[in-house]
Amino acid sequence: MWLALGSNLGDRAAYLQSAREALPGAGITLLRTSRVVDTAPIGVEDQPRFLNQVLEVETSLEPRPLLDAIKAVERQVGRIARQRWGPREIDIDILRYGGRSVDEPGLHIPHAELQNRPFLLELLEDVEAR
């Protein structure tokens, strides 16, 4: 399974680190990480740049409970609800869940925008090469 981390507010690197450190407490084991890259915002472009990273993880959680767990980690790390696609302290997305496809309200796996974000595809390759 692969997760994406992103942050564009405050100490972006610290938010990524805090999210990585909080995952095990949510039942998510970190296996490998990509490098961290600085990227321009997509969608709402009038906001700060992002730091992004992809993680390979494993968990016994099914997709919906995994989504609930990563949303809880976002809140624990300090995410404040704002406008969709807007600035955020931390964002955690499920990119892929093995070979499974999920298309439910609020949950799309593989991530619906994965093919539109070349930096995520590059980071997936990066983590798989490590």
Side-chain angles (χ1 to χ4, degrees), residues 11-108:
D11 187 339
R12 301 174 304 163
Y15 279 117
L16 296 183
Q17 178 67 32
S18 294
R20 288 190 304 269
E21 291 172 355
L23 290 172
I28 303 164
T29 302
L30 183 59
L31 300 177
R32 294 185 289 182
T33 64
S34 73
R35 68 191 185 282
V36 174
V37 296
D38 184 280
T39 62
I42 296 174
V44 177
E45 296 178 5
D46 185 21
Q47 61 180 313
R49 293 179 64 85
F50 280 84
L51 284 186
N52 293 100
Q53 184 175 41
V54 168
L55 313 176
E56 182 181 10
V57 301
E58 68 181 13
T59 184
S60 61
L61 298 171
E62 288 295 312
R64 179 63 66 176
L66 175 58
L67 179 63
D68 294 341
I70 63 174
K71 294 304 170 193
V73 167
E74 287 178 347
R75 289 187 300 275
Q76 175 187 338
V77 170
R79 181 167 180 168
I80 298 169
R82 294 183 177 83
Q83 78 181 79
R84 183 170 169 80
W85 304 102
R88 57 209 95 152
E89 292 81 7
I90 188 69
D91 186 43
I92 307 173
D93 291 321
I94 304 169
L95 298 180
R96 294 184 180 152
Y97 189 105
R100 291 176 65 176
S101 293
V102 178
D103 189 13
E104 301 174 0
L107 179 59
H108 304 282

